[in-house]
């Protein structure tokens, strides 16, 4: 196939894909007229941006605390159980508990950052962006910290049991646990980027 024919085929395919079809025209008309097509859009607009922002703040700390608690539960059982037979592992493996607790601290920090952006406003259109950005940033932090807490808990459990069997394995598994605890920081960084330009417009009446 020649270069010219290939270019003509590409141009024709782009024109065909970009051409408005009767279905797409009807869909757009229904949306602009506020019919059935905009039901979801109206539903999102009927909920106050403050509700979305408050939910995001709550999810940031609630899901993070759930992840921290889950991780402490997993690793704590192994430390206590292994410490019955090998008492020396009880103190050294408490660092795994600290890593799990740091996951909850990530959520608290993000909740404080989101809370500082909450202020009275006259609800301009850009305030909906702020509400959605704060909601999804809170969800992002919460889910990342949930995964991080479970990861650190399982790894810490393995570190405690491995230390009980062979003390030389503790440092090696601890390195893996440190990398696992960094996953929560990634969620915090992404959430901060999401809300970097977010902020309610101004003082309300």
């Amino acid at each position: 196939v020649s270069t010219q024919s290939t270019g003509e085929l590409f141009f024709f395919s782009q024109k065909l894909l970009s051409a408005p079809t009767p279905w797409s025209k009807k869909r757009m008309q229904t949306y602009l007229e506020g019919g059935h097509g905009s039901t979801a859009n109206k539903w999102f607009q009927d909920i106050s941006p403050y509700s979305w922002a408050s939910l995001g703040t709550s999810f940031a700390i609630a899901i993070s605390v759930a992840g921290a608690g889950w991780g402490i539960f997993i690793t704590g059982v192994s430390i206590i159980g292994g410490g019955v037979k090998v008492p020396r592992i009880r103190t050294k493996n408490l660092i795994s508990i600290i890593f799990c607790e740091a996951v909850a601290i990530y959520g608290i920090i993000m909740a404080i950052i989101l809370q500082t952006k909450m202020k009275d406003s006259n609800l301009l259109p850009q305030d909906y962006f702020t509400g959605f950005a704060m909601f999804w940033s809170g969800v992002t932090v919460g889910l990342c910290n949930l995964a991080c807490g479970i990861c650190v808990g399982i790894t810490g459990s393995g570190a405690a049991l491995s230390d009980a069997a062979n003390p030389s394995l503790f440092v090696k598994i601890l390195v893996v646990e440190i990398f696992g605890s960094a996953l929560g920081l990634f969620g915090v960084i992404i959430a901060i980027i999401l809300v970097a330009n977010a902020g309610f417009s101004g003082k309300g009446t």
Side-chain angles (χ1 to χ4, degrees), residues 31-119:
Y31 177 83
L32 295 176
E33 290 176 355
H36 180 71
S38 60
T39 301
N41 187 36
K42 288 183 178 180
W43 184 81
F44 281 109
Q45 290 181 355
D46 287 342
I47 299 177
S48 172
Y50 289 105
S51 297
W52 292 111
S54 299
L55 282 173
T57 305
S58 301
F59 285 155
I61 186 170
I63 304 178
S64 298
V65 169
W70 199 342
I72 291 173
F73 168 75
I74 294 173
T75 190
V77 170
S78 297
I79 293 174
I80 295 172
V84 174
K85 291 291 185 180
V86 188
R88 64 176 175 78
I89 72 170
R90 290 178 296 185
T91 303
K92 183 167 56 174
N93 282 275
L94 287 178
I95 190 170
S96 299
I97 303 295
I98 296 174
F99 283 146
C100 291
E101 191 65 28
V103 173
I105 296 175
Y106 296 156
I108 293 174
I109 292 173
M110 196 63 219
I112 293 173
I113 293 175
L114 294 177
Q115 188 63 31
T116 58
K117 295 182 176 292
M118 297 276 289
K119 62 181 179 179

Side-chain angles (χ1 to χ4, degrees), residues 7-28:
E8 292 176 354
L9 180 61
F10 175 77
F11 177 77
F12 175 76
S13 62
Q14 292 298 310
K15 293 291 288 183
L16 183 62
L17 291 174
S18 61
T21 62
W23 181 87
S24 62
K25 288 183 178 180
K26 184 178 180 180
R27 183 76 173 178
M28 182 60 69

